[in-house]
Amino acid sequence: MNLATTLVAPARALPAQPAITLDDHVLDYASLHAAAAAVAGDLRERGVEPGDRVGLVLPNVPAYPVLFYGALLAGAVVVPMNPLLKAREVEYYIRDSGMTLIYGGDGSGDVVPAAAAAAGISGIVVPATGPAELRGTPVTEPVERAADDTAVILYTSGTTGQPKGAELTHHNLASNAATTAETLLRIGPDDVIMGCLPLFHVFGLTCGLNAAVRYGATLTLIPRFDPAKALEVVARDRVTVFEGVPTMYAAMLHSPEAESADMSSLRSCITGGSAMPVEILRAFEKRFGCEVFEGYGLSETSPVVSFNQPGHERKPGTIGFPARGCEMRIVDDEGRDVEDGEPGEIAVRGENVMKGYWNRPEATAEAIPDGWLRTGDIATRDSDGYYTIVDRKKDIIIRGGYNVYPREVEEALYEHPAVAEAAVIGIEHPELGEEIGAAVALRPGAEADPDQLRDFVKERLAAYKYPRRVWLVDALPKGPTGKILRREVTPS
C-alpha cells in the first residue's frame, strides 16, 4: 500500500479534471501525475531509496503536491516543514530525521540552501509551478510500501523544547482522508475545496490535499491566507467546501469585502486547530448561508479524531463525536474512565493514531502507554457522546491555529546573555485566540529592554513563535522544588 495510489486512480479515470489550481495556473490529474512521476524518477536518479526522508519547505503552491506525491511514488518518506522556519530550525529537522534531500520554494531566500549546506545534504530550490530539468525515467507506478510503513514525519514540539517527529503511516493518512471525504465533507469530482490551510500542516494535508485527490475533486490554493483573497477565490472558483481555523473565519466575516462577496457556491465548512467562538460560527453561517462543522484533531492522529458531522445534531462549542475508525475515552491520571460530565484527559485509539515518535521510543511509550494515545487535552463528554474541550494539560499555546510550545521560545530567550529566567505563556487575544507573552528576569547587573529581547527571539524562531509581549520581572514564581510555575505568571 502506498498513499500515492490515491493520485494514480483519478489520473486514469479523470485525466482532464482540474486537480490543483492557483489563480490562472491549472494542473489536471494527468498532468499532476506526470509531474509527480518525473520527480520520482529524478529522486531515484539522485540515489534516494525507499524509506529515505525527503524534506519540503514550501507554501501552498502547485510545486507542493507535485513534490509530495513524487516523493511518495518513489517510496520516500516526506518531512513537511513550515516555510516560515529559520535556517537553524530547518537544520534541526534535517539532522533529527536523517534527511537525504530537501526542497525549498524559490521565495524562501537562503534558508533551505543554508540549512542543507550546514547539515551536509542536497538542497534544491524550485519555482512555484514545480521543478524543471528533471533527470531519470519517470516512476508512474508507486513503489510498494506496507500499510504500516511511514509515509510522513510531521514534527510537533513538546514540553521538552525539541520538536518530535510523529510518524504517520500510509494507512493512517489514507484512511483518515477517506473518513474525512466520505463522512464529513461528502465530496466528489464536482467539488472545489479551498486550499488556504497550509499543506505542511496535517489538517490541510489530509482534509485538503489527500481528501481532494482521493475523490477527484479540485483543490484551489492560496499561498498565504488573506481574507479578501479568500472571498475572491470562493466566488471565482465556485468553491463548495471551505476548510479553515477560527481566525480565518473571523477575518473573512469582518472583511470589508464580506458584504458584497458571492459565497453562494459554499455548502459546507469545517474548522479545527483551536476553539471556534460560537458567536463567530453563527454569524458566519448567517452571513454566508452555509453550515460550519467544528471538530478536533492532532498531528499524532493524522489529524481527524472527532467532529460535528452532517446528518447528525450539531452542538456548537463542542468537538462532536468520534470519527469513523476512531475511539475516544475520557480518563483520569491513572488511565481509568471518568463519568460523563466529569473532566478528564482525552485518550484516542484507532486507525488514525501515529506509529510513534521518530527515534524516540521512550516518548512514544509515554504518549501511548496502553494502546491509547494521551492527547494532553482535558474535556468532558455529555450523555449524547459529544465532547467539549475545557482545558489543556500540555503547556501548549495555540496562536491563530499554530501550535507554539513555551519551552522552545524560552530556550531561545535563554540564549541571550542577559537572561537569567524566562517563562512563556499564552495571553487571551480576540482574533488569534492566544498571543505569546514572555516574563523575563535578568541576570544581576545585566541590562536588556523588552524590545531587544523580543527582537532577539524573532531572529531565531519562525514569525508565529516569537513573543509579541515581553516584560521584565524581579523573579518568577516557583514551586517547592524550584520549578517555574507558568500558570502563576500573569501579564504585566
Side-chain angles (χ1 to χ4, degrees):
M1 176 184 178
N2 186 322
L3 180 61
T5 304
T6 59
L7 169 61
V8 176
R12 289 172 177 161
L14 303 162
Q17 166 79 4
I20 306 294
T21 66
L22 174 60
D23 295 329
D24 295 332
H25 186 82
V26 180
L27 269 179
D28 60 31
Y29 273 97
S31 300
L32 176 58
H33 178 227
V39 167
D42 187 67
L43 287 172
R44 181 175 289 177
E45 186 75 10
R46 293 175 184 273
V48 174
E49 300 287 340
D52 286 350
R53 275 73 65 202
V54 172
L56 299 185
V57 191
L58 295 97
N60 285 14
V61 293
Y64 200 103
V66 168
L67 295 169
F68 177 78
Y69 288 114
L72 291 178
L73 281 168
V77 176
V78 180
V79 185
M81 282 166 276
N82 189 332
L84 297 177
L85 294 175
K86 299 296 176 67
R88 79 172 202 164
E89 295 169 298
V90 173
E91 183 185 347
Y92 169 78
Y93 294 142
I94 292 173
R95 294 187 184 277
D96 188 76
S97 67
M99 204 178 292
T100 301
L101 179 147
I102 185 169
Y103 292 102
D106 60 3
S108 60
D110 62 355
V111 169
V112 167
I121 69 166
S122 297
I124 302 173
V125 176
V126 300
T129 53
E133 300 179 10
L134 299 175
R135 302 172 297 175
T137 303
V139 179
T140 58
E141 294 297 325
V143 170
E144 187 173 338
R145 304 297 286 162
D148 64 349
D149 280 341
T150 303
V152 169
I153 298 177
L154 199 69
Y155 276 85
T156 175
S157 294
T159 53
T160 58
Q162 293 289 12
K164 302 187 296 290
E167 291 188 73
L168 303 179
T169 68
H170 290 270
H171 180 62
N172 285 155
L173 292 165
S175 63
N176 206 240
T179 292
T180 300
E182 293 170 10
T183 67
L184 181 58
L185 304 179
R186 299 182 175 181
I187 59 170
D190 294 333
D191 281 297
V192 178
I193 299 175
M194 170 70 85
C196 54
L197 284 169
L199 297 179
F200 62 79
H201 190 283
V202 71
F203 190 3
L205 182 64
T206 293
C207 302
L209 180 61
N210 288 337
V213 168
R214 185 181 181 95
Y215 292 92
T218 301
L219 184 70
T220 184
L221 299 174
I222 296 180
R224 189 162 186 172
F225 181 76
D226 173 80
K229 180 66 174 180
L231 292 168
E232 174 195 329
V233 172
V234 170
R236 184 196 69 200
D237 294 350
R238 306 304 294 164
V239 170
T240 58
V241 176
F242 182 86
E243 304 172 351
V245 295
T247 50
M248 293 178 177
Y249 287 89
M252 292 169 67
L253 182 64
H254 298 141
S255 171
E257 290 81 6
E259 200 67 45
S260 59
D262 178 8
M263 305 283 275
S264 59
S265 60
L266 272 186
R267 63 171 176 80
S268 185
C269 304
I270 62 172
T271 180
S274 61
M276 168 71 108
V278 174
E279 60 272 20
I280 295 293
L281 183 148
R282 288 177 172 154
F284 192 94
E285 290 184 333
K286 183 177 180 181
R287 169 66 63 86
F288 299 124
C290 59
E291 288 186 303
V292 179
F293 298 93
E294 185 176 3
Y296 168 74
L298 307 164
S299 297
E300 291 89 340
T301 57
S302 306
V304 176
V305 170
S306 68
F307 255 96
N308 286 273
Q309 298 175 28
H312 299 269
E313 179 186 4
R314 281 189 309 146
K315 295 188 178 184
T318 77
I319 56 171
F321 54 91
R324 186 183 73 190
C326 180
E327 299 175 81
M328 297 173 69
R329 296 165 59 206
I330 302 291
V331 301
D332 62 18
D333 289 341
E334 305 301 320
R336 297 171 300 207
D337 292 316
V338 304
E339 297 291 329
D340 284 351
E342 293 295 317
E345 184 175 3
I346 297 176
V348 179
R349 182 173 70 180
E351 59 190 18
N352 55 335
V353 175
M354 68 173 180
K355 185 177 181 176
Y357 291 117
W358 173 258
N359 284 342
R360 285 177 171 80
E362 292 181 0
T364 300
E366 182 181 352
I368 313 174
D370 52 6
W372 290 82
L373 172 73
R374 301 301 196 272
T375 65
D377 291 309
I378 308 300
T380 59
R381 181 182 55 227
D382 67 17
S383 58
D384 296 324
Y386 284 68
Y387 291 72
T388 301
I389 301 285
V390 296
D391 198 3
R392 285 194 300 274
K393 191 173 181 180
K394 295 178 181 177
D395 292 324
I396 184 178
I397 300 167
I398 302 181
R399 182 185 187 273
Y402 288 117
N403 290 354
V404 179
Y405 288 80
R407 182 64 180 273
E408 186 178 8
V409 185
E410 289 165 0
E411 288 186 354
L413 279 164
Y414 278 119
E415 292 180 20
H416 193 288
V419 172
E421 296 177 339
V424 171
I425 62 172
I427 303 171
E428 188 174 346
H429 190 281
E431 295 178 0
L432 296 171
E434 290 181 290
E435 187 52 275
I436 301 163
V440 178
L442 300 180
R443 296 179 184 274
E447 294 184 3
D449 63 42
D451 288 345
Q452 290 173 334
L453 295 171
R454 184 190 64 237
D455 291 345
F456 181 82
V457 178
K458 185 178 180 181
E459 292 175 359
R460 286 160 173 76
L461 297 179
Y464 65 91
K465 294 180 183 178
Y466 76 87
R468 266 54 174 188
R469 287 182 61 182
V470 179
W471 61 97
L472 301 180
V473 297
D474 293 331
L476 292 168
K478 299 180 181 68
T481 63
K483 180 181 178 181
I484 294 173
L485 302 176
R486 285 199 192 94
R487 288 182 179 269
E488 294 188 12
V489 175
T490 56
S492 175

